[in-house]
Amino acid sequence: MHRILAGIVACTPAVSALAQDTPVIHDAEYYILEAQHSDQWAKDDAAVDAKLAAFREQNGGKPPNIINILIDDMGYGDMGIPELNAVRGYSTPNINAFSDAAMRMARMYTEPSCTPTRVAQMTGRLPVRMGMGDTTVDIAGFGLPEGEVTIAEILSEAGYATVHVGKWHMGDIPEAWPHNQGFDWAAFPVHQQGQLTIYHDDAIREQVSVGMKDFEGAFTLDDFFRPDASAMVTGLEAAKGGMAREVGMEPGERWNAAKYDEMNQRYQDQALDQLRALAVGDQPFFLQYWPLLPLDNTRTGREGPQSPNGGLYVDKMQQLDVWLGDLFTEMEELGVAENTVVLLMGDNGHFTKYSPQSGFTPMIFAGGKGDVTEGGIRVDSFIRWPGMIEADGIVNDIVHVSDMFVTFARFAGAEAGIPRDRLIDGVDQSALLLQGEGKSRRDYIFAYSIDKPKAIIKEHLKLHVPAPGESAIVAQFYDVFRDTHEKYPVSTEVGAWGGQEFVRILGRHIKRKEKYPDAEPARGIPYEGIENLRPESQAAVEAFLLKQAAVVK
Amino acid sequence: MHRILAGIVACTPAVSALAQDTPVIHDAEYYILEAQHSDQWAKDDAAVDAKLAAFREQNGGKPPNIINILIDDMGYGDMGIPELNAVRGYSTPNINAFSDAAMRMARMYTEPSCTPTRVAQMTGRLPVRMGMGDTTVDIAGFGLPEGEVTIAEILSEAGYATVHVGKWHMGDIPEAWPHNQGFDWAAFPVHQQGQLTIYHDDAIREQVSVGMKDFEGAFTLDDFFRPDASAMVTGLEAAKGGMAREVGMEPGERWNAAKYDEMNQRYQDQALDQLRALAVGDQPFFLQYWPLLPLDNTRTGREGPQSPNGGLYVDKMQQLDVWLGDLFTEMEELGVAENTVVLLMGDNGHFTKYSPQSGFTPMIFAGGKGDVTEGGIRVDSFIRWPGMIEADGIVNDIVHVSDMFVTFARFAGAEAGIPRDRLIDGVDQSALLLQGEGKSRRDYIFAYSIDKPKAIIKEHLKLHVPAPGESAIVAQFYDVFRDTHEKYPVSTEVGAWGGQEFVRILGRHIKRKEKYPDAEPARGIPYEGIENLRPESQAAVEAFLLKQAAVVK
């Protein structure tokens, strides 16, 4: 077992201003709702407290364990709806069975791509607040600042054992990494599937990649121009506050599809190993498993199609379904199924670029990853907590991925850990999950693309924010219940009530940044803090630094 | 009760050549499958026969009752999937509960609009075979020929009591009407919701209709040009072989939204009344209830929005859900829930023209009513038969609406009634429904638009048939599992295997028409056989005949 218990290693979470009676600082829209519902919310809070206390009482005084599973680039409806499995010609019985035992949050909004969604879930804040709205594939020299307080830090501080396995993708500098952001132990790739499935040698042979050097180089002057997946650091493992160690790659080795398969199998094995170790520990645990699958891009060396659909992503969905089934079964066998909250959700819409050869297709909503149409930021999302959260239920209230930060803290009795010195975008959804539909504490979303608000949602109305210089009169304004594809604007007259009111909503959001301004991400030397950095990785860092220096000559 | 038992009135079904040992005549593709599967099919048939015999034995020697519910213009996924209800902001709990007790036929194909789908289900034949591929709104003087053999005729001949309530829409001449096509009694509007919801006075006031005279007529020369919904015949009632009687409209009365509401309520009440009468009869029964709702187009005089969505069609969906719930509850109370097969399905895709103000929107598939993309011809479809057909099941095999003709005949033990003197497109799906997925007897569909084959589906491949004069090299060829929106052609090279093979499939289908040629629909004087034809309706017929005569002067 690799897991090292909290307390053995140095632990310096960046938590500050921890007074439970100091209220959490919210965005403006929250206060407008609070003013209208504070009496009811107080009653609901009392009921939630009683329900959580009753749980702890029958759980040996301990709050629930939490398992947090985030899946990459799934389209809405890809998980948990057998009728839509049939439409696409594949089958995920374990995920569907999990869905039958869980509550579906039908209007869970995320950010439009991997990095920002993960940042929002970890910090409870919009990624724009610390400059983490962008996504990188290769070496970038930035990441999540150590000053951010993650849910892992809060839970760790509150006595949880914390483990992360799988995709992380919040930077290539050490302060951004999970073992420096609250996790006792972590196994994770530094980059994402761009490196791991598109930029490698098999992808070149299959003509999937256009970024790699897939030609004879007679005219090549700049060896630093194109990325080399094999030179980039692959999978790291590290204990809290310690040095990281790259695993599975020796100096000179090439990265390929077989290596990717090994990595995925290793994360699955480690997730199960960690679960077994955590289940017998004295602490409640927070296990985060963020699989890389179903993302994959090459067929080389793999088995043939596994589904009537036959598409590669769909086959990998079925693989993932088997793996998650194994995890759920292991939970039963270890006796932790009943006292563990399991969140299973997508991180953003499907990657339309790989439709349809991937087996992924646009379906219920328009657009996908990278878009702020519903297809980019609506995801399948389920939360299971036997006896506490209604099985096979659906809540159709608006939820944002950042809400899970606050809600997990509440479930753990660790609200005091939520920092009171900064704006928190997430709101507490405990009442919604424990008491049912109609109890959400938000009816709004600001949908950013990187650092620009591109859409505003309030109830089921959605404004596509006009670009700078574009007349507000032609701004597009949609009803997402009646028009899931955002195809028929319901009013082009922004001067009428709706558009004007949405402009005010955005105005309040922007105005509030004067008091709580957006900040920059952390910047640093890529790949520091790795004890066995390969020479080719070191060379890649030097090339990166050389390029960086070229602009300040 | 209006129902008149079979045998009291004259009954002359057009059944011919009834020898059970003479095989049914199929299209070419069927024989290719039969040659590969005849041994297995014989085994399956024996198992089906045994299961049907066991049912009859415990049902007092009688075959099952059959209730056939066909819903108008629903989008795929609109019925029976709570997760998609949530996405759209409405709720149909009764239909969803029915779906949980039924088998979903996930790949049920229909024709692309109302008339041809209804013809295919009633006759087991593609509508092109008797020229019924087109749909009319107003007076047209043609309809389903009396020489066609409907499932009602077959079941009536086999001893069933047969009743039709609601939309019919297979012509405005008497031979086309349900009481002359095998039903003991029928209540039905002659036309469809174009007349009943778009062309009336309230629709003009709400500016929904552009076809009506919604302007002052200073420049009007031709009073026969525009339809007048109030002059057209509305709802008829008739007993088998008898004269029809228009109900609910007196001479000089105007048609409007209130009248449409009365008509819908009347059909709902009649469906329940007929069910009560049929349930206590000695005969097994075939009750056909084809509601006009959810189609509606005006708000005048109606209650405000009934759903979070608030769209008119969605509100009407909820109304329909209540009504179907009442029907299902009545079945329980009458003790006929267990010995009755209930088919509930859509007739074609949603009417995109009324998106999104209607609350209907494109979702899983592209296109809608009138298109041969999956959005036009794939429908929600459920069949319930307690103890016989798997509850809450899904079969993902291809089924065509015409198959229900053959399958109902088989369930009723009335295969002998299927005519052997013409080509029958429907195939027997008893094995699929009683034994489960993988047992379909078709893997192909010819998707016609009116009288032209526009798409060919084989397995999950689909060819959009090139238009005449269009090079076959640019024909579009799709994988409907991987690309539900038919957006990314999988091969543009018709010379390669796929296109060539599809051309051969179409060639065999066309070649077979030499032996079994397509025919014309029946033509006649509109509105004959109505004992109380209003003077304005008579005038409208005369105008129609005058226009018809103008071309042969």
Side-chain angles (χ1 to χ4, degrees), chain B residues 403-416:
Chain B
D403 298 348
M404 301 319 297
F405 168 91
V406 181
T407 307
F408 282 163
R410 180 90 185 269
F411 284 174
E415 308 94 300

PDB file of all heavy atoms in Angstrom, chain B residues 403-416:
ATOM      1  N   ASP B 403     -45.059  -4.003 -38.960  1.00  0.00           N
ATOM      2  CA  ASP B 403     -44.900  -5.301 -38.306  1.00  0.00           C
ATOM      3  C   ASP B 403     -45.997  -5.549 -37.269  1.00  0.00           C
ATOM      4  O   ASP B 403     -46.311  -6.698 -36.948  1.00  0.00           O
ATOM      5  CB  ASP B 403     -43.536  -5.392 -37.599  1.00  0.00           C
ATOM      6  CG  ASP B 403     -42.353  -5.273 -38.556  1.00  0.00           C
ATOM      7  OD1 ASP B 403     -42.574  -5.356 -39.788  1.00  0.00           O
ATOM      8  OD2 ASP B 403     -41.225  -5.093 -38.070  1.00  0.00           O
ATOM      9  N   MET B 404     -46.546  -4.470 -36.724  1.00  0.00           N
ATOM     10  CA  MET B 404     -47.563  -4.650 -35.685  1.00  0.00           C
ATOM     11  C   MET B 404     -48.824  -5.299 -36.252  1.00  0.00           C
ATOM     12  O   MET B 404     -49.536  -6.015 -35.549  1.00  0.00           O
ATOM     13  CB  MET B 404     -47.879  -3.311 -35.005  1.00  0.00           C
ATOM     14  CG  MET B 404     -46.672  -2.633 -34.342  1.00  0.00           C
ATOM     15  SD  MET B 404     -45.522  -3.744 -33.442  1.00  0.00           S
ATOM     16  CE  MET B 404     -46.590  -4.359 -32.156  1.00  0.00           C
ATOM     17  N   PHE B 405     -49.088  -5.049 -37.522  1.00  0.00           N
ATOM     18  CA  PHE B 405     -50.223  -5.695 -38.211  1.00  0.00           C
ATOM     19  C   PHE B 405     -50.085  -7.219 -38.138  1.00  0.00           C
ATOM     20  O   PHE B 405     -50.989  -7.936 -37.717  1.00  0.00           O
ATOM     21  CB  PHE B 405     -50.245  -5.196 -39.661  1.00  0.00           C
ATOM     22  CG  PHE B 405     -51.134  -5.935 -40.614  1.00  0.00           C
ATOM     23  CD1 PHE B 405     -52.453  -5.537 -40.812  1.00  0.00           C
ATOM     24  CD2 PHE B 405     -50.656  -7.024 -41.343  1.00  0.00           C
ATOM     25  CE1 PHE B 405     -53.268  -6.212 -41.717  1.00  0.00           C
ATOM     26  CE2 PHE B 405     -51.469  -7.694 -42.247  1.00  0.00           C
ATOM     27  CZ  PHE B 405     -52.778  -7.295 -42.431  1.00  0.00           C
ATOM     28  N   VAL B 406     -48.925  -7.698 -38.547  1.00  0.00           N
ATOM     29  CA  VAL B 406     -48.695  -9.151 -38.564  1.00  0.00           C
ATOM     30  C   VAL B 406     -48.659  -9.692 -37.138  1.00  0.00           C
ATOM     31  O   VAL B 406     -49.204 -10.760 -36.831  1.00  0.00           O
ATOM     32  CB  VAL B 406     -47.380  -9.480 -39.299  1.00  0.00           C
ATOM     33  CG1 VAL B 406     -47.145 -10.979 -39.335  1.00  0.00           C
ATOM     34  CG2 VAL B 406     -47.393  -8.897 -40.705  1.00  0.00           C
ATOM     35  N   THR B 407     -48.018  -8.929 -36.256  1.00  0.00           N
ATOM     36  CA  THR B 407     -47.807  -9.404 -34.887  1.00  0.00           C
ATOM     37  C   THR B 407     -49.123  -9.459 -34.115  1.00  0.00           C
ATOM     38  O   THR B 407     -49.379 -10.418 -33.377  1.00  0.00           O
ATOM     39  CB  THR B 407     -46.782  -8.490 -34.187  1.00  0.00           C
ATOM     40  OG1 THR B 407     -45.617  -8.431 -35.015  1.00  0.00           O
ATOM     41  CG2 THR B 407     -46.421  -9.012 -32.816  1.00  0.00           C
ATOM     42  N   PHE B 408     -49.964  -8.455 -34.288  1.00  0.00           N
ATOM     43  CA  PHE B 408     -51.288  -8.491 -33.651  1.00  0.00           C
ATOM     44  C   PHE B 408     -52.087  -9.694 -34.159  1.00  0.00           C
ATOM     45  O   PHE B 408     -52.776 -10.362 -33.386  1.00  0.00           O
ATOM     46  CB  PHE B 408     -52.065  -7.197 -33.927  1.00  0.00           C
ATOM     47  CG  PHE B 408     -51.650  -6.015 -33.093  1.00  0.00           C
ATOM     48  CD1 PHE B 408     -52.016  -4.729 -33.479  1.00  0.00           C
ATOM     49  CD2 PHE B 408     -50.936  -6.164 -31.913  1.00  0.00           C
ATOM     50  CE1 PHE B 408     -51.673  -3.618 -32.708  1.00  0.00           C
ATOM     51  CE2 PHE B 408     -50.582  -5.064 -31.136  1.00  0.00           C
ATOM     52  CZ  PHE B 408     -50.944  -3.789 -31.541  1.00  0.00           C
ATOM     53  N   ALA B 409     -52.019  -9.918 -35.476  1.00  0.00           N
ATOM     54  CA  ALA B 409     -52.749 -11.060 -36.046  1.00  0.00           C
ATOM     55  C   ALA B 409     -52.266 -12.365 -35.392  1.00  0.00           C
ATOM     56  O   ALA B 409     -53.057 -13.235 -35.022  1.00  0.00           O
ATOM     57  CB  ALA B 409     -52.556 -11.114 -37.559  1.00  0.00           C
ATOM     58  N   ARG B 410     -50.964 -12.468 -35.216  1.00  0.00           N
ATOM     59  CA  ARG B 410     -50.393 -13.673 -34.587  1.00  0.00           C
ATOM     60  C   ARG B 410     -50.843 -13.796 -33.139  1.00  0.00           C
ATOM     61  O   ARG B 410     -51.236 -14.885 -32.689  1.00  0.00           O
ATOM     62  CB  ARG B 410     -48.856 -13.595 -34.662  1.00  0.00           C
ATOM     63  CG  ARG B 410     -48.119 -14.783 -34.047  1.00  0.00           C
ATOM     64  CD  ARG B 410     -47.893 -15.863 -35.081  1.00  0.00           C
ATOM     65  NE  ARG B 410     -47.300 -17.072 -34.533  1.00  0.00           N
ATOM     66  CZ  ARG B 410     -45.991 -17.306 -34.464  1.00  0.00           C
ATOM     67  NH1 ARG B 410     -45.129 -16.422 -34.928  1.00  0.00           N
ATOM     68  NH2 ARG B 410     -45.547 -18.447 -33.955  1.00  0.00           N
ATOM     69  N   PHE B 411     -50.777 -12.703 -32.398  1.00  0.00           N
ATOM     70  CA  PHE B 411     -51.201 -12.732 -30.987  1.00  0.00           C
ATOM     71  C   PHE B 411     -52.657 -13.201 -30.883  1.00  0.00           C
ATOM     72  O   PHE B 411     -53.039 -13.866 -29.928  1.00  0.00           O
ATOM     73  CB  PHE B 411     -51.074 -11.344 -30.346  1.00  0.00           C
ATOM     74  CG  PHE B 411     -49.660 -10.937 -30.005  1.00  0.00           C
ATOM     75  CD1 PHE B 411     -49.395  -9.648 -29.522  1.00  0.00           C
ATOM     76  CD2 PHE B 411     -48.589 -11.812 -30.139  1.00  0.00           C
ATOM     77  CE1 PHE B 411     -48.100  -9.257 -29.189  1.00  0.00           C
ATOM     78  CE2 PHE B 411     -47.278 -11.418 -29.814  1.00  0.00           C
ATOM     79  CZ  PHE B 411     -47.044 -10.140 -29.340  1.00  0.00           C
ATOM     80  N   ALA B 412     -53.451 -12.779 -31.869  1.00  0.00           N
ATOM     81  CA  ALA B 412     -54.879 -13.116 -31.848  1.00  0.00           C
ATOM     82  C   ALA B 412     -55.146 -14.504 -32.426  1.00  0.00           C
ATOM     83  O   ALA B 412     -56.299 -14.941 -32.464  1.00  0.00           O
ATOM     84  CB  ALA B 412     -55.660 -12.071 -32.637  1.00  0.00           C
ATOM     85  N   GLY B 413     -54.113 -15.189 -32.890  1.00  0.00           N
ATOM     86  CA  GLY B 413     -54.328 -16.484 -33.547  1.00  0.00           C
ATOM     87  C   GLY B 413     -55.031 -16.331 -34.873  1.00  0.00           C
ATOM     88  O   GLY B 413     -55.740 -17.227 -35.327  1.00  0.00           O
ATOM     89  N   ALA B 414     -54.867 -15.180 -35.506  1.00  0.00           N
ATOM     90  CA  ALA B 414     -55.620 -14.862 -36.721  1.00  0.00           C
ATOM     91  C   ALA B 414     -54.708 -14.681 -37.924  1.00  0.00           C
ATOM     92  O   ALA B 414     -55.029 -13.946 -38.854  1.00  0.00           O
ATOM     93  CB  ALA B 414     -56.449 -13.600 -36.484  1.00  0.00           C
ATOM     94  N   GLU B 415     -53.553 -15.377 -37.937  1.00  0.00           N
ATOM     95  CA  GLU B 415     -52.631 -15.249 -39.073  1.00  0.00           C
ATOM     96  C   GLU B 415     -53.310 -15.628 -40.378  1.00  0.00           C
ATOM     97  O   GLU B 415     -52.940 -15.132 -41.444  1.00  0.00           O
ATOM     98  CB  GLU B 415     -51.398 -16.147 -38.919  1.00  0.00           C
ATOM     99  CG  GLU B 415     -50.664 -16.021 -37.613  1.00  0.00           C
ATOM    100  CD  GLU B 415     -51.121 -17.047 -36.604  1.00  0.00           C
ATOM    101  OE1 GLU B 415     -52.330 -17.043 -36.263  1.00  0.00           O
ATOM    102  OE2 GLU B 415     -50.290 -17.846 -36.165  1.00  0.00           O
ATOM    103  N   ALA B 416     -54.313 -16.503 -40.302  1.00  0.00           N
ATOM    104  CA  ALA B 416     -55.011 -16.933 -41.525  1.00  0.00           C
ATOM    105  C   ALA B 416     -55.685 -15.760 -42.221  1.00  0.00           C
ATOM    106  O   ALA B 416     -55.921 -15.796 -43.428  1.00  0.00           O
ATOM    107  CB  ALA B 416     -56.045 -18.003 -41.183  1.00  0.00           C
TER     108      ALA B 416
END
